[in-house]
Amino acid sequence: MEFDSVSEILRGKTGKISVHGWIHNKRSSGGVAFWILRDGTGLIQCTLRKDSVKNFDELENLPQESVVEIFGEAKKDPRAPEGYEISVTSVKILSKAAEEFPIGRKEHGPEFLMDNRHFWLRSREMLAITRIRAKVLQAAREWFDKNGFIEVHTPIIVGAAVEGGSTLFPVNYFGQKAYLSQSWQLYGEAYIAAVGKCYTLAPSFRAEKSRTRRHLTEYWHMEAEASFCDLEEIMKVEEELITYIAQKVAKELPEDLKFFGRTPQDLLKIKTPYKRITYDEAVEILKKSGVKFSWGDDMGADEEKILANKFEQPFFVTHYPKGVKAFYHKPDSKNPKVTLSNDLLAPEGYGEIIGSGERIDDYNELMKSLKERKMNPKDYEFYLNLRKWGTVQHSGFGLGIERLVMWLAHLEHIRDAIAFPRLINRVTP
Ligand code: ATP
Ligand code: MG
């Protein structure tokens, strides 16, 4: 049988309806039971009256998360939480849940909710996040498609590090040493000679030893790479992409954003071009603000927070020193101590959401960079050889999807930007 969806009713479908779903919440008083029904498309209040529903006593005692088919009448009701309610005439029970839904009580600490993530997924909070996340990816794909980037996929099990050895997850690959991918980039650089401009969406893995609000050990990484592209051009790609995503989420999911205290207007007012400051300028700002920071130091969450609090919309920090960037970053010919790199930082203290830059396209220069870092050129044979046949100026970037969602939705912790977070102390559920 065809059922109506809760979202249709919330959009104004009234009259005789049938819906099916889970009893999200319930309360009753004096012969009236109120259920909040959840069907995957939304939540709606259902009212059951003892004098008009046959098996009222049985229904009143149905545990939370039982699955039911509901027949009744939908109508506008300003007193109902969502503005509409269903006046129930009959109910068919499809599955009776066990007593005491584990997360049924009102207040729980974050660890408990993490242990019960498989149930917490059903919460209004996670529903909003799930929708925002999906919208972010939909918007990103739209933007890439409109701008001539093709989506490509490459292995997750890989032979060499991209971002340095300290965050590698080793894999025993039939007795041979391999790793979980930290980044698609090296393959992306191989692909551009075939397709010009490309992007991917894939999990990246980082054995982050520190516990922070913005590091997962497994995260979703959207990476792009473009040939015939310099630092300024790749920054344009980044700012246009991020603006497009932010606006689409703000326009299409304002209610989900407001749920976490994000005013959609904050995102709608974002405009390109974003402000750009150099690493040198960032150092000056940091020194003035009184933190201990010297030229050549890497910026962590604390430093980025100080910078990001000074801006109302995303901004770039460019030209990082060689020492804080990976081996593939191209030195600036005007000042070889710094690289043609940029990070995109989100405002309001959120900090880095994109790492990016121009890549070394010369074979000898790349070889020199590997050797300076005591890395083994043998591990990078295919990557080096790309510079021998058809090398070209090119740039790319990596965008952390959870970092982006965290900022867009105004979340406090990155764990809430993903359904089943992987953290230093957590691999279940
Ligand atoms: P950070 O300095 O914040 O640890 P990074 O410089 O190591 O990040 P990159 O190697 O530049 O990060 O990765 C590109 C993007 O991937 C980052 O800008 C960020 O959005 C995201 N990212 C990196 N590491 C993580 C992580 N552990 N968890 C979630 N997202 C991450
Ligand atoms: Mg970075």
Side-chain angles (χ1 to χ4, degrees):
M1 156 169 194
E2 280 279 318
F3 285 85
D4 300 293
S5 72
V6 169
S7 64
E8 278 175 286
I9 298 170
L10 298 181
R11 281 198 303 268
K13 179 169 184 174
T14 50
K16 249 183 110 175
I17 53 88
S18 54
V19 287
H20 56 188
W22 295 260
I23 302 175
H24 186 75
N25 224 324
K26 48 173 257 184
R27 67 187 164 86
S28 56
S29 68
V32 189
F34 297 98
W35 288 349
I36 301 291
L37 185 84
R38 185 187 74 242
D39 79 338
T41 71
L43 297 117
I44 192 165
Q45 176 171 291
C46 305
T47 308
L48 297 82
R49 288 191 174 74
K50 195 179 172 84
D51 51 17
S52 50
V53 182
K54 233 180 29 218
N55 44 345
F56 182 83
D57 292 337
E58 183 191 9
L59 295 173
E60 193 186 21
N61 289 318
L62 260 189
Q64 190 181 346
E65 292 301 318
S66 295
V67 184
V68 290
E69 289 177 0
I70 288 182
F71 305 89
E73 198 161 325
K75 50 184 190 239
K76 222 177 168 126
D77 185 341
R79 289 164 306 172
E82 311 281 344
Y84 285 85
E85 75 143 29
I86 296 172
S87 177
V88 178
T89 47
S90 71
V91 176
K92 182 174 167 193
I93 302 168
L94 294 186
S95 99
K96 184 177 171 185
E99 296 294 337
E100 304 245 359
F101 184 45
I103 62 165
R105 279 194 303 116
K106 280 210 172 68
E107 293 297 324
H108 292 291
E111 281 306 309
F112 181 87
L113 290 179
M114 297 267 275
D115 288 339
N116 286 281
R117 206 69 171 188
H118 46 301
F119 291 136
W120 181 240
L121 270 192
R122 305 176 190 185
S123 65
R124 279 173 193 257
E125 285 88 337
M126 286 306 293
L127 183 61
I129 288 297
T130 302
R131 287 199 288 234
I132 291 169
R133 220 185 130 96
K135 188 63 71 188
V136 162
L137 295 178
Q138 184 199 341
R141 285 196 161 108
E142 265 171 31
W143 190 90
F144 277 125
D145 196 40
K146 283 184 195 158
N147 287 278
F149 285 76
I150 185 168
E151 181 165 356
V152 301
H153 300 104
T154 68
I156 297 296
I157 302 175
V158 297
V162 183
E163 292 300 325
S166 67
T167 62
L168 275 177
F169 274 115
V171 173
N172 178 349
Y173 197 69
F174 306 111
Q176 189 185 331
K177 140 186 120 175
Y179 308 98
L180 295 178
S181 169
Q182 296 169 307
S183 163
W184 155 95
Q185 184 189 321
L186 307 192
Y187 293 103
E189 288 183 58
Y191 242 131
I192 52 165
V195 297
K197 301 194 277 188
C198 53
Y199 74 99
T200 200
L201 174 66
S204 275
F205 300 84
R206 307 276 172 106
E208 306 280 3
K209 312 260 168 11
S210 54
R211 248 186 245 200
T212 77
R213 287 169 179 278
R214 55 179 211 168
H215 286 95
L216 296 161
T217 54
E218 174 178 333
Y219 69 98
W220 285 79
H221 205 175
M222 192 157 237
E223 295 181 83
E225 204 65 36
S227 52
F228 308 101
C229 179
D230 66 14
L231 181 65
E232 187 52 40
E233 287 164 320
I234 201 69
M235 289 200 278
K236 260 203 191 97
V237 170
E238 293 163 38
E239 63 191 1
E240 278 173 20
L241 170 70
I242 295 297
T243 307
Y244 185 84
I245 296 172
Q247 305 237 339
K248 185 157 177 121
V249 173
K251 276 185 208 142
E252 297 185 18
L253 297 175
E255 295 309 317
D256 287 330
L257 287 173
K258 282 186 211 153
F259 200 83
F260 301 100
R262 161 66 71 211
T263 316
Q265 193 51 33
D266 298 347
L267 304 179
L268 289 171
K269 70 178 188 219
I270 292 173
K271 288 209 172 60
T272 58
Y274 296 170
K275 293 219 168 83
R276 288 132 163 79
I277 58 169
T278 60
Y279 173 89
D280 289 8
E281 288 166 336
V283 172
E284 288 313 308
I285 296 176
L286 291 172
K287 280 185 177 157
K288 276 197 196 121
S289 75
V291 287
K292 231 182 109 214
F293 192 85
S294 330
W295 196 95
D297 290 348
D298 197 4
M299 283 181 222
D302 294 342
E303 290 80 21
E304 287 183 4
K305 197 163 186 174
I306 294 170
L307 296 177
N309 275 331
K310 296 205 178 299
F311 293 86
E312 284 191 352
Q313 64 164 53
F315 64 100
F316 292 106
V317 180
T318 67
H319 300 86
Y320 283 83
K322 250 165 93 173
V324 302
K325 287 287 172 191
F327 71 97
Y328 50 75
H329 281 281
K330 189 166 171 175
D332 184 354
S333 56
K334 288 188 229 115
N335 173 13
K337 280 206 268 191
V338 300
T339 54
L340 297 173
S341 56
N342 77 275
D343 279 4
L344 181 66
L345 275 62
E348 303 158 343
Y350 281 97
E352 179 180 340
I353 56 175
I354 289 182
S356 160
E358 231 176 275
R359 324 302 195 190
I360 299 176
D361 48 47
D362 178 74
Y363 183 93
N364 294 323
E365 210 179 309
L366 185 58
M367 181 64 96
K368 194 176 117 213
S369 177
L370 283 167
K371 286 188 172 156
E372 273 171 11
R373 287 156 203 267
K374 308 214 166 13
M375 295 167 77
N376 186 356
K378 260 212 143 63
D379 293 338
Y380 297 90
E381 211 172 322
F382 94 76
Y383 188 66
L384 277 159
N385 282 340
L386 294 173
R387 275 75 185 157
K388 282 197 192 167
W389 287 276
T391 194
V392 68
Q393 183 177 38
H394 65 288
S395 304
F397 65 87
L399 161 67
I401 293 301
E402 290 78 15
R403 294 263 180 106
L404 176 59
V405 169
M406 187 182 169
W407 160 56
L408 292 174
H410 208 261
L411 304 178
E412 300 226 326
H413 199 296
I414 197 166
R415 65 179 173 225
D416 293 322
I418 186 164
F420 295 100
R422 290 292 167 261
L423 299 161
I424 189 165
N425 59 346
R426 180 170 292 279
V427 280
T428 56

